Amino acid sequence: MACCALMMPEEVQTISACSDPLTDNNQNSFLHSTLEQFFTAKTRTLKIDKTDAVAVIELQRYLTEQQNVVKQQPLDNYSYDMIVTDGVWQAKCILDCSLNHLIHKNIIRSGIDINITQCSFVYNERRLGQGCVCIEKIEHGSKESYVLRKIKDLDSLPMISKDDFGNIVALQSDSPLQVGRKHYLSLWNNEDPEGRLWVPDVPPSDVVLDVSKMTLLCDLESLLGCMFRPLPLIVRVIHKSRLRYYGKPGLKIYYPYQAYFEVADQSGTMSLVLWNELCPEWYQRLNVGTVLYLQNYTLKQSYQNRSRPHIDNHRMKSFHSVEICLNPRNPTAVLTVVPAKSVPPQWGLPEVSYQFAIRSELDSLASNSACDVIGLVTFVSRVERIKSKGNTDPEKYWTYRWVHAVDGTSNIPFILEIFASSQPEIFNGLYPMTYLVCTQMRKCQEQDSLPYLTSSCETQIFTTGYHKGQPYVSDPRVKSFIQWTKTLKDSVMLKKTAVGGHYCFPHAPLIFTQSVADGSAQVPLVAANDLKSEMEGLHYREHKRLAIQGQIMAVQYVTLPEETLSDQQMVQSVVAVSDPPSDQRTVEVTQMLINRETTPSSVQSSPSRRKRKQAKKRVMKRCYITRARMQEKREAGHGLTEEELGEEESDSETEEVGPLEKRTDQTRASGQLGPPDIPQSEGATGERAVADCDRTSWESSSWPKQRQEVLEYLHPGGVYSESLSQRFRFDDKTLLLQQSNLHAARWTPEQTTDTLSPVTCKGYYKITILGINQQMAIDAAFVPVMSSGDPRSLGLTQDPHDNTLLSCLSAGFICPLADPLSQSEVALPEPEEILATAEELKDTHLVCILDLCHLGGEKVEVIISKVYRMTDIALV
C-alpha cells in the first residue's frame, strides 16, 4: 500500500530485491517507481509529468480526524482511502479532500482508470513515523478499466508502501490510513456494516450455564440506581433495530455505534442497547429469536425520544422506564448465545409473534400502525438516496428503494418504501419473483393516494436465501400465502415484473396547496434561479422533488434509436411512452421458504435466439450462465415434489430455488450542466445521448426572442438507461441488479459497463420551462405512463381526459392506459396528435413538479411528473 511511512513490525514486511518475485517487473511498475521517486527526490510533493494509468480497485470512506478538519478544512467530514493498481502492485492512498466531490458525484469510482499527476507524502505530526501518500491531482475519463481487464488474479498482486528507511514494503493492514480511525463506513450510507471487523452470524456452540441465580425483567426497574451488580438474565430477542452511527469529528470513541433490541422473558419486554465495540462483534450474531444469557450488564433510565416497535401488549407487558446496556468496558458485558436445542420449556421464554397484514385489509388499518407483510415481488426500483433532515453533523444520507409485492388477496400490490436496514446483502439483492418478508412496517396514508408502507427503525427484511430458521415460517398467514403461490405460473407473473427506472411515490396531489403564513407546501416551491445550485449540489443518486413556477415555451418529442427498442413480446410492461399497442405442516412450509427459485425456459427467449437478435440490432453483447438456462424441461408451474422441498439451500453464488425463496467517455470534474443555447447530449439509454433522432416539436412564437434574453438555460441530459424500467429476466439478473443498485465500492470481475435497453420506451417529450421571471430556462423530460403494466401507473387517479398535451402533463398518463395482459390493442394518440394541442400552453402560468436525481458523473435526471394550472392551486 502507498501508505504508512513507518509501521509496527507485524504490519509490514520489507521486500528485498532477492526475495521479491516481482523484482523484474518493478521497472515496469508506475506505483513502484513513484514511491522510489519520493525517497530519492527527498521531497514532500511530487508532480508527475509522464504518468501511466492505474485502475481504481476500491474506495473506502471514514470519518475525518479532527486535526484534519481544522487544518485542511475539507469539503465534508469524511475522508476517502483509495486502492489502485498498475497491474504489478497495489497501493492504498488517501484522497485529498479537494477531490472528494468526484466521489460524491460517482465520477471517481471502482472499475475505472485514472492518471495520477500530483501526490504528496503526508506525515502525521502527532505520531512518530506515521504517514501516507495523498493523491492531490488526477486525470480521469475512462468508462471502464483497461488495466483491470489484463489482470487475471487481482488478489495475487502485493500492496506496497515506503517506510522512513526508504524500503519498499508490503502491507497487510486493513484499517484507515488516518491512524486515529479504526474502521471504515459503508461508501453510501452510515447504517450498513462495512469491513471484516464485523463478525458474521455463525451457529452458536453448546454451552453450560449456571441458572441457579437468575432475575427477571420485571425486577429490573426496582434495581435502577442500586450499587450492586444485577443477577444474570435469560431473554429472547423479539425485535432488532438497524445500526445507528453517532460518530462526529472530535468524538474520542473508536467505534461509535449503537443498536437497540427488544428482549423478552416470561415477565415482559424491555429494551436492550448494544454499545460501541460490541456492535461489530455481536450485531450480526443477535437476530430475532436468539436466546441470550446476559451477565455484567448495566441499567439506565430509558431514552424516551425514540421510535419503538409495536408489541402485542395483550400478550406481554412492556417496561419502558429502564433499558439494559451492554458495554465494552466498565463493566465489560458478557453475552452468551444459547443454542435453540438447549432452551428448555421451563424457562418460559415467549415465542416471537408477528402481525402479518394482508393487502385486502391494509386500507382499514390506522395510519402509522405497524404490521408485517409477505408478498411476491413484482417491481424493484433503483436505489436512491436522500439527505438526512435537520442540521446533522456529520452530513449523512439515507438509502432506500421502492418495492411492489402481491399476496393474492387484492389486485393492488403492497407499495413498500424500504430503507437500508443494516442488511446490505439482502437490500442489494432484491429482485422480482422472490418472496419478501418485511417486519415492523408503518402504514402511511396521504390525501388522494393509495396507502403505502414504509420502514421503521426496527424493520427487518428477508428474501431469497435468508428465510431458513426464521420464526415466521410457522405463522398461519405465511402458510396461506404459500398455498396461494402454488396456483401461480411463472410465465404469467414475469409479464408483470419490472426493475429500476424513475419512480416516485406518492404521486403529486391533485391540488397544489401552499401556506399563506410561511410559504410551506407539500412540494418545496423554489425560484427557477435556484435550480442550478440545487442540481449542482446533488450527490450520487440523491433524489429531490421540487416545484417551480413558469411557462412551457417549447416541446420536442425525442425518438430513441431503434436499437434501444425491445422485442414485440416485451412491449407489454414498464415505461411505454408511445406504443399504442389447506393447512401445511410447519416443516413443509419451512422447506418451501428455503428451496425455490426457478426460471422455466418457456418464459424466456433462448440464449441463441437472443444472441441473434442482439447481433442484428448491434446491441452490446451480454452473456450469463444461470440456473435458468439449465431448467429447459421444467414446467412453468410452482408445484414441487417432496424431494425438491427437502433440498438444502443453494450456495449464495448460485440462484436459490424455493416457494418463498423464489425466487463517460471524457468526464469533467466541473459538473457543468451545459452552456446556454447549446444543449448537451440529450440523455439516452446508456452513457451516450440520443442524437440524430426523429423529432416532432412545438414552440411558442415568443420563445426565440425570450431565449436570447434568458440569463441561463440549463440542459440536463434527458432520459438515461437508469431512467427507464426494464422487464425482469432471469438471464439478465446480475446486470439488472448492478444497474439498479448503487455503484459498488469495490470492483469485482463480474462488474460490467454494459447497459440494457429499456423495454418499450420509444421516446419522450422534452419540455422547455421558462421561469416566471423569465431569467432561467430548463429542459425537463416527460415520460407519460402508457400502460397499466408500468409500475408508475399504480395510484394514479385515472380519470378520463382528452389527451391534450396539457391534460397529459397534468394527469401523468395518456388515456386510456393499455392493459399489458390484454389481447386487444388500444388505439392511443400519436405524438404528433398530442403536440397539435400544445398551442394552449402559450402564456399559461403553471406550477411544474420536477424530480431531480443525480445518476453519476455529469448525468442529472430532471423528470417533470405533473403540472398544475392556476385553477388547481389553493392557498391555505
Side-chain angles (χ1 to χ4, degrees), residues 502 507-510 545 575-577 765 781-788 790-801 803-817 834 849 863-869:
H502 164 261
H507 299 290
L510 296 178
R545 170 167 277 193
V575 182
V577 295
Y765 296 85
F782 175 55
V783 187
V785 176
M786 302 279 290
S787 163
S788 60
D790 186 331
R792 299 175 303 151
S793 68
L794 195 61
L796 282 176
T797 54
Q798 297 176 17
D799 297 330
H801 60 82
N803 281 331
T804 64
L805 182 56
L806 182 55
S807 65
C808 291
L809 286 166
S810 178
F813 67 96
I814 293 179
C815 184
L817 290 180
I834 294 175
I849 305 298
I863 300 288
I864 183 167
S865 56
K866 185 176 177 62
V867 301
Y868 293 94
R869 305 173 180 89

Side-chain angles (χ1 to χ4, degrees), residues 431 464-466 468 594-595 597 627 647-657 661 733:
Y431 60 91
T464 302
Y466 298 91
K468 184 177 182 179
I594 296 171
N595 300 316
E597 177 199 79
R627 179 168 297 186
E647 291 179 357
E648 288 297 318
E649 238 175 310
S650 302
D651 184 87
S652 60
E653 296 299 319
T654 65
E655 299 211 0
E656 294 93 350
V657 293
E661 298 296 314
K733 187 187 82 170

Side-chain angles (χ1 to χ4, degrees), residues 435-659:
Y435 293 164
L436 173 67
V437 170
C438 300
T439 64
Q440 289 295 309
M441 300 292 284
R442 303 279 177 168
K443 180 188 174 182
C444 297
Q445 180 75 68
E446 298 190 15
Q447 187 176 4
D448 305 323
S449 174
L450 288 175
Y452 66 97
L453 298 172
T454 189
S455 298
S456 66
C457 289
E458 298 78 22
T459 291
Q460 296 278 285
I461 59 176
F462 303 95
T463 185
T464 302
Y466 298 91
H467 294 297
K468 184 177 182 179
Q470 296 301 327
Y472 52 72
V473 297
S474 60
D475 190 279
R477 286 199 161 173
V478 173
K479 295 179 181 179
S480 176
F481 173 79
I482 293 299
Q483 291 302 309
W484 169 72
T485 62
K486 292 182 177 181
T487 68
L488 304 178
K489 295 236 180 238
D490 286 354
S491 57
V492 175
M493 296 307 299
L494 277 168
K495 293 178 181 179
K496 302 177 181 180
T497 61
V499 178
H502 164 261
Y503 183 90
C504 190
F505 196 87
H507 299 290
L510 296 178
I511 302 296
F512 186 88
T513 59
Q514 185 180 40
S515 170
V516 176
D518 57 9
S520 61
Q522 310 105 310
V523 179
L525 186 62
V526 301
N529 287 346
D530 294 336
L531 280 178
K532 183 178 181 180
S533 61
E534 291 282 0
M535 294 167 67
E536 290 178 340
L538 292 174
H539 284 205
Y540 173 56
R541 287 283 182 91
E542 182 182 356
H543 173 265
K544 277 188 179 181
R545 170 167 277 193
L546 303 172
I548 63 168
Q549 299 183 71
Q551 300 177 31
I552 293 177
M553 306 305 296
V555 183
Q556 289 180 337
Y557 181 78
V558 182
T559 303
L560 298 181
E562 188 67 25
E563 287 83 357
T564 67
L565 302 181
S566 58
D567 302 337
Q568 188 64 29
Q569 301 101 309
M570 302 261 183
V571 175
Q572 305 282 339
S573 84
V574 203
V575 182
V577 295
S578 66
D579 193 347
S582 83
D583 249 350
Q584 293 290 322
R585 291 174 294 119
T586 297
V587 63
E588 179 187 2
V589 175
T590 303
Q591 291 297 328
M592 295 175 72
L593 297 177
I594 296 171
N595 300 316
R596 168 115 169 65
E597 177 199 79
T598 63
T599 54
S601 62
S602 60
V603 298
Q604 303 175 56
S605 54
S606 69
S608 61
R609 180 165 172 254
R610 292 184 52 176
K611 287 183 180 178
R612 288 197 299 271
K613 289 182 179 180
Q614 288 174 335
K616 181 178 178 181
K617 295 183 178 182
R618 305 179 64 83
V619 175
M620 194 172 293
K621 178 182 177 183
R622 55 184 183 273
C623 180
Y624 304 97
I625 298 177
T626 67
R627 179 168 297 186
R629 298 192 175 199
M630 298 183 287
Q631 298 288 339
E632 295 184 356
K633 296 183 180 182
R634 191 183 179 282
E635 296 181 357
H638 286 249
L640 295 177
T641 66
E642 197 67 33
E643 182 179 355
E644 288 171 315
L645 290 175
E647 291 179 357
E648 288 297 318
E649 238 175 310
S650 302
D651 184 87
S652 60
E653 296 299 319
T654 65
E655 299 211 0
E656 294 93 350
V657 293

